[in-house]
Amino acid sequence: MIYSPLESVVYRLKEAVERVIRERYGLEESVRIEEEKKYGDFSFKCFSLAKAIGERPDKMAEAVKLGLEREHLPFVESIDAVGGYVNFKLNIPELAKMTFEAISKLRDKYGFNPAPSVERIIVEHTSANPIHPLHVGHLRNCCLGDSLARLLELRGHDVSRHFYVDDVGLQVAYAAYGYSKLGMPEPSMKPDHFIGYVYACTYNIVETISIRRRLEELKREQEFEEYKSLVSRLDEVLGVLSRLKKKSPETFDKLLDRISSEVDPEKEIAKINRLYEKKDPSVVDIVRKTVLTCLKGIKETLERLGVFFDSWDWESEVVWSSLVQEVIGRLRTTEFVAYKQGALILKAEEAARALNLKELLSIPIKYEIPDMVLIRSDGSTLYTTRDIAYTILKFKNAEKVVNVIGVEQKLAQIHLKIALSILGFMKEVKNLVHYAYEQVKLSRVRMSSRRGVIVTIDDLIEEAKSRALLEIEQRARVLSYDEKLSIAEAIGIGALKYSMLSVSPTKPIVFDWKRVLDFTQNSGPFLQYAYVRAYNILAKSSEGESILGCKVDTRLFASKEERDLLKHLSKFPAVVAKAADDLRPDYITEYVNDLAKMFNLFYDNYPVLSAEETLRKARLKLVASTALVLRNVLTILGIKPITRM
RNA sequence: GGGCCCGUAGCUCAGUCAGGAAAGAGCGCUGGCCUGCGGAGCCAGAGGCCCCGGGUUCGAAUCCCGGCGGGCCCGCCA
């Protein structure tokens, strides 16, 4: 079974070139056949090899051309030697036959392209703090993680999607404290939005109380400089509070009232955090209920996005299993751990130098790695410390772990790897990928979950949907309102996903609705529209998708547009392989955007249904193949293919 | 201050891993076409010191060194 037509052709070409070089020059060389658009389909450059053996590049190109011509390669139409280049034009009818065969056999699996060796891979993604709704940043994380998982599956890997429920830590304690003060009521809005609201209110109310207390002290001590700056900080927090109050006055007042009557809320919160780590029954219920409530809302959003997980890993379970204590115990026996002002720290720089980790982890030699705090002076652990144990657990069921985490956590991930190295998990460190992506910037909005200012995924979906609906209305198709709504949802969500995936992960995304929902180019709707066009030609034909099973005369594809389209279709599994191996979903978006453009060009210039019968069949099969590939790609990207819009 | 990432057409970006032939696309702009298998079109054109300066090389947008500009990180937060 040939999964990847173009790849197999190029591979045969590569072998042929190597054979010729071996026969002509007696050299065992591995050569590279590169894609070329201007002078043919592929090319081989002779320069470096020619230089190595003291031959003239143009002479070598000529020799390779002659040698290849004697081989009579059926999938090559012509070979040219120009300067030091050997240029190849592919025999498109032959390639088309192979491609059609692969497509008709594999159908929805066309694109599947198993790697030479398959692995069990855990993709951990989204993993938002379970105390507020998902926001734009999580959207990028979620889309990347989900499409990476799908890509790796297409490479034949055994992929498991994990969501790390970070239910341990100070922030969760704040939310749980506030929620419990309210008497843990049924949320009056979407549950994650409600918990997020409670968290923001609680955080700022507590902050106000501590600032006021500190101000009293400063007044007594006559520290006017600090007093002044703290007053302006207080103003800021009060501003946040008044804004929060407007959103849900009853909940707010109740919370304010009950927290203000406490002696020392901050201490209470730290206590919840400490006790929860010890699985103390007095706090387990309130923390769990808080987190589960929020998670319910988060799951609703994920479901709407069509994203699922195989495993929900609770951080508390890792802590309670005593693995965290074990890890700390083992680290403590090494020379790299010390106490500093009551906290247990890991001397990361020293460890990295002693174990020679800098090169392995690509850390600059002159960069001084800061210490890592393992245990707070009050005895509680920190996120990264707990992550050491969690990572060890993940590797019990996988050879490779991909963590989709923002680039801002780079240092924490380096700390994690250093700690694992000290513990002897070298193989794991090498197979632990911090898949770092840049931030999503919304013009003007500066988000902060503490201040309760976040643009949630739910908000974005709603806005995308209503904008899409507006576009649909303008076209005035004969569709019922319900149909329009569900199409708008598919377009809106598809547009959001595409916008998150189409930018390479190292670049920040500047979110811009005009671009997200640009129906004419490089967007989700643009792809969906191409699919609609292809689908409707098929729907109008008598054969429909069954044309994929029919033999057609591939020699009829004479135009540049048809040739380009066929070549592009044959390339798809190769793109999947590259995208999966390099973890780059944006390679797929680039591919499919080109595919849609090529199809549009074909569509506008070559009639299908009204063509002469043998030609009609050939073109119809090309349309069906394009539709199928579009559908498969959209699925990888998590975008819903629709048949009307 | 130190580290990382980014800098290519008016705009949004490919191309940089693995150096190669006149630097690619779309949008926008200019001019033309078209009553179409869904016009959310089609064809043509203009538009580039590939951030700057050195170096390596027969050859640099691509590799190396030094700058400049923007973002992020350097928490007993996650």
Side-chain angles (χ1 to χ4, degrees):
Chain A
M1 179 71 241
I2 291 171
Y3 290 107
S4 185
L6 192 64
E7 244 178 315
S8 86
V9 162
V10 173
Y11 189 75
R12 280 149 75 185
L13 195 50
K14 168 185 154 75
E15 283 183 318
V17 171
E18 286 170 356
R19 208 154 46 233
V20 168
I21 287 172
R22 187 163 57 236
E23 281 159 16
R24 176 75 172 75
Y25 299 102
L27 282 173
E28 283 294 335
E29 274 295 324
S30 174
V31 303
R32 252 164 52 89
I33 306 296
E34 287 165 87
E35 197 165 355
E36 217 312 309
K37 285 179 184 127
K38 231 176 292 175
Y39 302 91
D41 296 307
F42 286 89
S43 77
F44 166 63
K45 293 165 189 152
C46 299
F47 301 97
S48 61
L49 192 56
K51 189 175 185 184
I53 59 170
E55 167 77 288
R56 274 176 47 182
D58 55 338
K59 282 263 158 69
M60 178 178 267
E62 201 58 46
V64 169
K65 173 190 149 99
L66 288 174
L68 286 172
E69 274 167 353
R70 276 197 294 273
E71 297 232 359
H72 301 294
L73 303 163
F75 45 86
V76 174
E77 185 186 283
S78 66
I79 304 169
D80 254 329
V82 186
Y85 303 89
V86 186
N87 297 323
F88 309 96
K89 272 208 173 70
L90 295 182
N91 180 334
I92 295 296
E94 283 301 314
L95 183 66
K97 268 192 234 165
M98 289 174 67
T99 307
F100 283 154
E101 198 188 323
I103 288 176
S104 77
K105 278 191 181 153
L106 291 160
R107 300 290 171 115
D108 290 353
K109 295 277 177 303
Y110 180 64
F112 179 75
N113 190 2
S117 72
V118 298
E119 298 172 301
R120 292 175 304 164
I121 302 177
I122 286 178
V123 178
E124 185 215 310
H125 70 88
T126 309
S127 300
N129 267 333
I131 51 158
H132 51 64
L134 301 176
H135 59 64
V136 238
H138 300 120
L139 183 62
R140 190 172 193 180
N141 188 314
C142 187
C143 293
L144 285 169
D146 191 55
S147 68
L148 284 173
R150 289 176 208 249
L151 277 172
L152 292 168
E153 279 170 345
L154 284 176
R155 257 322 226 172
H157 299 299
D158 179 2
V159 178
S160 188
R161 299 142 164 91
H162 289 226
F163 188 113
Y164 188 37
V165 182
D166 184 15
D167 62 327
V168 181
L170 229 36
Q171 299 188 15
V172 174
Y174 269 92
Y177 177 74
Y179 193 37
S180 70
K181 284 291 158 224
L182 286 173
M184 321 206 72
E186 273 302 307
S188 52
M189 48 184 113
K190 193 166 172 278
D192 49 340
H193 289 242
F194 182 71
I195 297 296
Y197 180 69
V198 172
Y199 168 72
C201 293
T202 306
Y203 182 84
N204 288 288
I205 290 169
V206 172
E207 173 95 346
T208 314
I209 295 170
S210 0
I211 292 178
R212 289 214 166 108
R213 181 168 303 157
R214 180 79 186 129
L215 284 175
E216 290 298 316
E217 286 171 23
L218 290 172
K219 209 165 162 185
R220 275 199 302 276
E221 292 160 14
Q222 311 235 317
E223 292 274 358
F224 297 116
E225 274 306 301
E226 201 183 336
Y227 188 88
K228 252 167 66 187
S229 80
L230 211 54
V231 166
S232 74
R233 169 82 189 124
L234 182 63
D235 280 348
E236 205 180 302
V237 178
L238 288 175
V240 172
L241 282 181
S242 79
R243 198 171 34 71
L244 285 168
K245 180 174 174 168
K246 279 186 203 127
K247 199 170 164 191
S248 180
E250 278 168 63
T251 308
F252 182 88
D253 287 334
K254 206 186 267 185
L255 212 46
L256 180 62
D257 195 47
R258 296 185 182 173
I259 295 177
S260 304
S261 63
E262 290 290 323
V263 184
D264 192 346
E266 224 168 343
K267 206 168 156 191
E268 287 296 310
I269 290 162
K271 194 172 155 195
I272 292 175
N273 180 38
R274 227 168 35 243
L275 291 178
Y276 188 60
E277 281 200 36
K278 290 183 187 139
K279 203 181 180 177
D280 190 301
S282 67
V283 300
V284 167
D285 281 354
I286 63 160
V287 174
R288 277 291 165 117
K289 189 161 180 218
T290 306
V291 171
L292 281 168
T293 303
C294 186
L295 231 38
K296 187 161 170 265
I298 288 178
K299 284 180 181 177
E300 278 172 30
T301 304
L302 290 171
E303 200 175 323
R304 199 169 175 195
L305 288 172
V307 173
F308 70 93
F309 287 88
D310 300 297
S311 180
W312 298 77
D313 304 339
W314 289 70
E315 190 174 28
S316 52
E317 301 290 343
V318 179
V319 175
W320 298 342
S321 76
S322 81
L323 186 61
V324 175
Q325 281 313 311
E326 213 176 289
V327 161
I328 292 166
R330 279 172 62 194
L331 283 172
R332 225 194 272 260
T333 62
T334 70
E335 66 207 280
F336 307 117
V337 167
Y339 280 96
K340 196 161 135 192
Q341 290 151 13
L344 191 72
I345 58 143
L346 182 77
K347 293 181 276 183
E349 173 65 25
E350 224 171 88
R353 239 180 295 160
L355 301 175
N356 240 331
L357 296 173
K358 287 203 171 172
E359 200 187 341
L360 177 73
L361 304 178
S362 45
I363 302 166
I365 305 292
K366 52 184 173 175
Y367 174 62
E368 178 101 8
I369 308 166
D371 290 339
M372 167 190 182
V373 175
L374 291 167
I375 302 184
R376 292 192 184 92
S377 41
D378 77 350
S380 61
T381 56
L382 284 102
Y383 171 82
T384 313
T385 312
R386 303 186 292 265
D387 207 14
I388 304 167
Y390 178 47
T391 306
I392 294 169
L393 284 178
K394 281 191 282 193
F395 273 107
K396 287 201 170 148
N397 297 306
E399 285 81 50
K400 190 170 176 181
V401 172
V402 178
N403 290 333
V404 183
I405 298 175
V407 68
E408 67 278 3
Q409 291 198 41
K410 196 162 193 168
L411 177 59
Q413 291 288 310
I414 284 172
H415 276 152
L416 171 64
K417 288 184 182 183
I418 290 172
L420 287 167
S421 303
I422 295 171
L423 295 172
F425 293 100
M426 293 312 296
K427 196 177 88 227
E428 286 78 1
V429 166
K430 285 182 193 120
N431 291 315
L432 177 63
V433 178
H434 172 201
Y435 189 76
Y437 60 93
E438 272 288 347
Q439 299 193 326
V440 180
K441 292 182 199 310
L442 296 152
S443 43
R444 244 178 279 173
V445 188
R446 216 195 138 100
M447 294 203 302
S448 155
S449 51
R450 280 185 184 170
R451 290 183 296 150
V453 187
I454 55 177
V455 177
T456 68
I457 296 182
D458 301 317
D459 299 338
L460 290 173
I461 293 176
E462 281 310 320
E463 171 121 29
K465 188 176 175 177
S466 65
R467 282 171 185 260
L469 190 61
L470 221 63
E471 293 280 340
I472 298 166
E473 295 282 1
Q474 275 176 21
R475 314 295 154 192
R477 300 255 163 239
V478 276
L479 294 166
S480 73
Y481 186 68
D482 280 353
E483 281 175 305
K484 283 180 185 169
L485 269 188
S486 84
I487 291 168
E489 170 111 1
I491 292 176
I493 290 174
L496 287 173
K497 287 188 176 180
Y498 188 91
S499 72
M500 293 294 119
L501 293 171
S502 58
V503 177
S504 94
T506 53
K507 294 189 183 188
I509 292 178
V510 180
F511 193 88
D512 174 5
W513 283 114
K514 271 211 300 292
R515 239 174 287 136
V516 173
L517 277 158
D518 182 345
F519 281 56
T520 66
Q521 58 140 348
N522 201 26
S523 72
F526 175 64
L527 305 178
Q528 284 167 320
Y529 183 60
Y531 181 69
V532 167
R533 288 175 129 187
Y535 179 90
N536 282 299
I537 291 180
L538 277 183
K540 282 195 181 133
S541 69
S542 50
E543 295 94 335
E545 208 163 87
S546 76
I547 188 73
L548 288 174
C550 302
K551 276 227 167 352
V552 302
D553 187 351
T554 56
R555 287 168 308 180
L556 295 173
F557 298 122
S559 70
K560 183 178 183 306
E561 288 81 359
E562 287 162 312
R563 290 173 58 101
D564 285 350
L565 186 52
L566 277 162
K567 195 175 133 194
H568 207 59
L569 290 172
S570 73
K571 189 180 168 184
F572 174 49
V575 177
V576 168
K578 176 92 171 139
D581 295 350
D582 294 358
L583 302 175
R584 292 287 297 273
D586 53 309
Y587 291 173
I588 301 287
T589 57
E590 195 200 346
Y591 169 83
V592 71
N593 187 50
D594 287 342
L595 179 62
K597 277 192 289 195
M598 287 178 190
F599 176 70
N600 284 338
L601 219 51
F602 162 74
Y603 178 95
D604 285 310
N605 290 296
Y606 303 93
V608 178
L609 298 177
S610 60
E612 171 277 320
E613 184 55 14
T614 52
L615 188 59
R616 184 191 70 89
K617 278 201 159 142
R619 286 184 179 162
L620 191 62
K621 189 161 178 169
L622 182 55
V623 171
S625 303
T626 307
L628 184 128
V629 172
L630 280 169
R631 199 167 66 217
N632 292 0
V633 178
L634 289 174
T635 306
I636 297 174
L637 302 176
I639 299 173
K640 209 165 167 186
I642 46 180
T643 55
R644 289 200 280 183
M645 62 190 280

